Amino acid sequence: MLGKRTQKSRTVAQRTLKGPIACTGTGLHSGRKVAMQLLPAAPNHGIVFRRRDIPGDAGVLKADFRAVRDTRLCSMLANDAGTKIGTIEHLMAALYGAEIDNLIVELDADEVPVMDGSAAPFLFLVDCAGTIEQAAPRRAIEILAPIAYSEGDAHIELAPGAGFSAEFEIDFANEAIGRQAIHVALEPAGFRQDIARARTFGFEHEVASLRAMGLARGGSLDNAVVVSGERILNEDGLRFDDEFVRHKVLDLVGDFYLAGAPILGHARARRTGHRHNNALLHALFAAPAAWRWTEISPDTYARPPARASLASD
Ligand SMILES: [Zn+2]
């Protein structure tokens, strides 16, 4: 897919949408109908959420890991005015996969619509609108030294590595899920191919208690894989044999994109979720020697890394 490039164009440009595009869907937790509009934004603007039902600055939330407040079941942004937007991670993962740097996400409710529980419908939406290059280089966060976060038997770390890749392991007592491990290259094209379609999942026996807590009211077999004992309740079954661990990678990609730019490095995670992803970013940015800003070049996501030719440069 990479075209021939001259030596002169060694940076990759930032991207935004060609024009606005809209969709409606259901809020996973509220169960209410949500209208979402994606709008182009200027270079270096970043990704910003705007609540159409809350005027002024009180309705504006930057897509920033520092603004994540509630990580029980989804990643939720909140600002000083107390405005919230939940279930942002699958959209953020899609925006990573679409290589979108600058965007305004307008919503008329406190949740991003869940769509089918994966990132694929958002990628489709962005692809329908099309993207354009902007007059600013695309930046990334390059990992320079390992950084880790552990909590009980949950462990996550980021280490230097070519491009962006992840190893993820989950281990559920549930027979339908069990132990699943994956090692996957996460450059945008690889993310689209191997991860974007993996859906969120839940357990039938948890549905009643989640709903009593005001959560998962919009959850259904249309937007989640639902597991009951050793059975998958969805009529069409799974999209991948290991869809569960792939979805955990999807969540990680979306949560990491809240760093403000793509991360370049290798992630290793075991039995982690949104809270740990967020805690790792806090640890990373508290360690200035562990990372640096860099500009993305056409070779950044090339695989495998051309070590031999680098040596003769
Ligand atoms: Zn998810």
mmCIF file of all heavy atoms in Angstrom, residues 89-90 200 247 251 274, ligand 1:
data_model
loop_
_atom_site.group_PDB
_atom_site.id
_atom_site.type_symbol
_atom_site.label_atom_id
_atom_site.label_comp_id
_atom_site.label_asym_id
_atom_site.label_seq_id
_atom_site.Cartn_x
_atom_site.Cartn_y
_atom_site.Cartn_z
ATOM 1 N N GLU A 89 -13.603 4.344 24.140
ATOM 2 C CA GLU A 89 -12.392 3.622 23.733
ATOM 3 C C GLU A 89 -12.472 2.974 22.357
ATOM 4 O O GLU A 89 -11.472 2.914 21.644
ATOM 5 C CB GLU A 89 -12.006 2.591 24.797
ATOM 6 C CG GLU A 89 -13.058 1.529 25.070
ATOM 7 C CD GLU A 89 -14.057 1.927 26.153
ATOM 8 O OE1 GLU A 89 -14.162 3.131 26.474
ATOM 9 O OE2 GLU A 89 -14.743 1.023 26.664
ATOM 10 N N HIS A 90 -13.640 2.508 21.939
ATOM 11 C CA HIS A 90 -13.717 1.852 20.628
ATOM 12 C C HIS A 90 -13.631 2.880 19.504
ATOM 13 O O HIS A 90 -13.029 2.616 18.463
ATOM 14 C CB HIS A 90 -14.996 1.024 20.508
ATOM 15 C CG HIS A 90 -15.149 0.015 21.606
ATOM 16 N ND1 HIS A 90 -16.342 -0.586 21.903
ATOM 17 C CD2 HIS A 90 -14.242 -0.488 22.486
ATOM 18 C CE1 HIS A 90 -16.173 -1.423 22.923
ATOM 19 N NE2 HIS A 90 -14.909 -1.363 23.303
ATOM 20 N N THR A 200 -16.798 -6.279 22.057
ATOM 21 C CA THR A 200 -16.777 -6.319 23.511
ATOM 22 C C THR A 200 -17.567 -7.550 23.971
ATOM 23 O O THR A 200 -18.307 -8.142 23.188
ATOM 24 C CB THR A 200 -17.368 -5.016 24.094
ATOM 25 O OG1 THR A 200 -17.117 -4.979 25.487
ATOM 26 C CG2 THR A 200 -18.862 -4.922 23.860
ATOM 27 N N HIS A 247 -10.318 -8.319 21.505
ATOM 28 C CA HIS A 247 -11.017 -7.121 21.956
ATOM 29 C C HIS A 247 -10.248 -6.418 23.071
ATOM 30 O O HIS A 247 -10.260 -5.189 23.158
ATOM 31 C CB HIS A 247 -12.453 -7.407 22.412
ATOM 32 C CG HIS A 247 -13.162 -6.132 22.725
ATOM 33 N ND1 HIS A 247 -13.694 -5.325 21.736
ATOM 34 C CD2 HIS A 247 -13.328 -5.471 23.891
ATOM 35 C CE1 HIS A 247 -14.173 -4.228 22.302
ATOM 36 N NE2 HIS A 247 -13.970 -4.287 23.615
ATOM 37 N N ASP A 251 -9.253 -2.465 23.133
ATOM 38 C CA ASP A 251 -9.401 -1.519 24.240
ATOM 39 C C ASP A 251 -8.078 -0.837 24.570
ATOM 40 O O ASP A 251 -8.022 0.365 24.822
ATOM 41 C CB ASP A 251 -9.917 -2.242 25.494
ATOM 42 C CG ASP A 251 -11.412 -2.540 25.429
ATOM 43 O OD1 ASP A 251 -12.135 -1.901 24.649
ATOM 44 O OD2 ASP A 251 -11.843 -3.430 26.183
ATOM 45 N N HIS A 274 -9.134 -1.322 31.365
ATOM 46 C CA HIS A 274 -9.024 0.125 31.161
ATOM 47 C C HIS A 274 -8.231 0.823 32.258
ATOM 48 O O HIS A 274 -7.426 1.709 32.001
ATOM 49 C CB HIS A 274 -10.418 0.744 31.073
ATOM 50 C CG HIS A 274 -11.210 0.233 29.917
ATOM 51 N ND1 HIS A 274 -10.785 0.371 28.618
ATOM 52 C CD2 HIS A 274 -12.385 -0.430 29.860
ATOM 53 C CE1 HIS A 274 -11.677 -0.182 27.809
ATOM 54 N NE2 HIS A 274 -12.652 -0.678 28.539
HETATM 55 ZN ZN ZN B 1 -14.056 -2.558 24.754
#
